[in-house]
Amino acid sequence: MIAARARTFTESVIREMTRVAHKYGAVNLSQGFPDFPMPAELKRAACDAINADDNQYAITWGQKPLRDAIAAKYRDWYDFEVDPEQNVTVTCGATEAMAAVCLALLDPGDEVIVFEPFYENYGPDAILCGASPKFIPLEKPDWKLDPDRLRKAFTKNTRAIIVNTPQNPSGKVISREEMQLIADLCIEHDAWAITDEIYEHIRYEGEHHLLAGFPGMKERTVTISGLSKTFCCTGWRLGYAIAPAEQSVAIRKVHDFLTVGAPAPLQAAGAVGMRFGRDYYAHMSEEYRERRDILLPVLSKAGFKYHVPEGAYYVLADFSKLSKDDDTTFAKWMAKEIGVATVPGSSFYHPGSPDGKTLVRFAFCKTRETLEAAAERLLKLQA
Ligand code: GLN
């Protein structure tokens, strides 16, 4: 016996593909986690915190030094005032932040607008709240957003829109004009914007626009981000949500009863990272650009078609020149026979959508050696 709600969505295909990669000894370009070390300074800070006996619960909504560092960063980078006492909730990854925010803000029957393709968590997050996701396509090949379609998607039932930029899996960076349109529509329809900005510092084109910073948006936006991607520590599970005071109270309650809090000694180390200077971010982005530029020409040579990602560390690639199989069959075949694991494209589209069926997602947050090993195998596809 299981509850009805747990039957309404499937297990994460991203995590499943990591298991498939292990089974076949494939190079794992499926799940988006780096295979290189995180900054030594953060590792040291974590060990210091553990040795200093910082091993008990932190304050539920996050240790003060980390919340202070988060607030300072938003002031410095985005000229955006955040009160660490009232607006910040530290969570177990951006994943928990998104789930906790949805549970705190959405009621059964609410509609939530989600751009498609989308990161697979948003569907189940909405469903767990009894809300209905409404998918608005980003159109292939260059993931364009049709303003009229978005305008029409907003109705009196719209409670929120989820805005992920840079976007997983498309690599789209939402432009200032698109953000302005989203802001205008949220204000007009009295809707919430819930952002996922976990890749904010991994960009190759365009600017990162903080939606909460647009006029009239601070009081209707929850900004979600985290340390996983920026500091290469996806296993530390450190994320946060920045929200107006009233909503933070609700988010903190949900978060408290879900997890109590994020790991205390890692929060202490996270505070060190959040105070890194701009050079760190510029260098990191440059390294990701190099990784992207190793993989993309190989994909072209192997016969895939794709739009060059502007940000994040994924590329959604069309394989229809290589195979007539559907995405799941092709991804499993490629893991087994070619030795490279990817994520089937349909995981990023609503169930029943035909749009992901000719796509697989490659993650390039990997060392040069890993990418070169993948390249050697992928070139076998030409034959
Ligand atoms: N965000 C990463 C991805 O899309 C990892 C997801 C996860 O496994 N939590 O692959």
Side-chain angles (χ1 to χ4, degrees), residues 79 100 146 153 158 164 172 180 254 278 297 314 326 376 379:
D79 199 15
D146 178 345
T158 306
N164 170 214
K172 179 183 175 74
Q180 187 62 62
V254 174
R278 285 176 185 255
Y314 308 100
D326 71 26
E376 203 180 306
L379 291 175

Side-chain angles (χ1 to χ4, degrees), residues 318-327 329-330 357-358:
D318 186 295
F319 60 83
S320 42
K321 258 177 61 190
L322 290 164
S323 167
K324 293 287 162 249
D325 284 339
D326 71 26
D327 58 321
T329 312
F330 180 74
K357 295 282 179 198
T358 60

Side-chain angles (χ1 to χ4, degrees), residues 53 55 60 117 160 172 237 264 359 362:
D53 298 318
N55 297 309
T60 294
K172 179 183 175 74
R237 311 313 301 129
L359 304 173
F362 291 85

Side-chain angles (χ1 to χ4, degrees), residues 14-15 30-32 119 168 199 229 314 361:
I14 299 178
R15 261 78 83 199
S30 60
Q31 196 177 9
Y119 176 50
N168 174 11
Y199 301 99
K229 314 294 181 184
Y314 308 100
R361 189 196 73 173

Side-chain angles (χ1 to χ4, degrees), residues 331-376:
K332 290 199 171 153
W333 172 83
M334 198 162 70
K336 186 167 179 219
E337 302 299 334
I338 301 295
V340 176
T342 55
V343 179
S346 54
S347 331
F348 307 104
Y349 288 86
H350 65 273
S353 165
D355 288 332
K357 295 282 179 198
T358 60
L359 304 173
V360 286
R361 189 196 73 173
F362 291 85
F364 52 82
C365 45
K366 307 291 171 185
T367 59
R368 172 176 282 272
E369 293 69 37
T370 304
L371 293 171
E372 282 169 356
E376 203 180 306

Side-chain angles (χ1 to χ4, degrees), residues 6-118:
R7 279 184 242 128
T8 54
F9 51 90
T10 54
E11 98 164 288
S12 160
V13 180
I14 299 178
R15 261 78 83 199
E16 183 197 350
M17 287 310 292
T18 282
R19 293 196 296 275
V20 170
H22 290 157
K23 178 168 165 196
Y24 296 123
V27 178
N28 189 2
L29 303 190
S30 60
Q31 196 177 9
F33 62 86
D35 67 346
F36 40 86
M38 68 180 299
E41 206 178 326
L42 268 83
K43 291 197 269 190
R44 262 195 312 273
C47 294
D48 289 350
I50 290 171
N51 288 323
D53 298 318
D54 185 0
N55 297 309
Q56 309 310 322
Y57 303 124
I59 296 175
T60 294
W61 46 89
Q63 282 185 348
K64 184 165 165 48
L66 177 54
R67 281 183 290 115
D68 287 349
I70 291 168
K73 187 181 161 202
Y74 279 76
R75 195 172 307 127
D76 179 31
W77 274 81
Y78 302 116
D79 199 15
F80 185 72
E81 271 313 311
V82 172
D83 177 353
E85 299 310 323
Q86 298 211 64
N87 302 133
V88 181
T89 306
V90 175
T91 55
C92 294
T95 295
E96 194 227 337
M98 184 58 76
V101 168
C102 288
L103 286 164
L105 298 189
L106 304 180
D107 277 317
D110 286 343
E111 281 178 9
V112 183
I113 296 174
V114 175
F115 297 122
E116 186 176 52
F118 57 90

Side-chain angles (χ1 to χ4, degrees), residues 168-238:
N168 174 11
S170 69
K172 179 183 175 74
V173 171
I174 298 182
S175 70
R176 172 173 283 288
E177 293 67 39
E178 289 168 328
M179 280 298 200
Q180 187 62 62
L181 173 65
I182 295 168
D184 292 345
L185 290 169
C186 285
I187 292 167
E188 187 184 328
H189 294 271
D190 193 18
W192 280 94
I194 306 171
T195 71
D196 177 350
E197 309 185 30
I198 191 82
Y199 301 99
E200 67 193 290
H201 293 292
I202 304 178
R203 273 180 296 105
Y204 320 107
E205 310 283 338
E207 291 299 307
H208 184 72
H209 302 289
L210 186 77
L211 187 53
F214 282 63
M217 287 305 286
K218 186 171 184 173
E219 51 275 29
R220 57 176 65 259
T221 303
V222 182
T223 304
I224 294 175
S225 194
L227 286 74
S228 296
K229 314 294 181 184
T230 310
F231 300 113
C232 201
C233 54
T234 61
W236 278 22
R237 311 313 301 129
L238 288 182

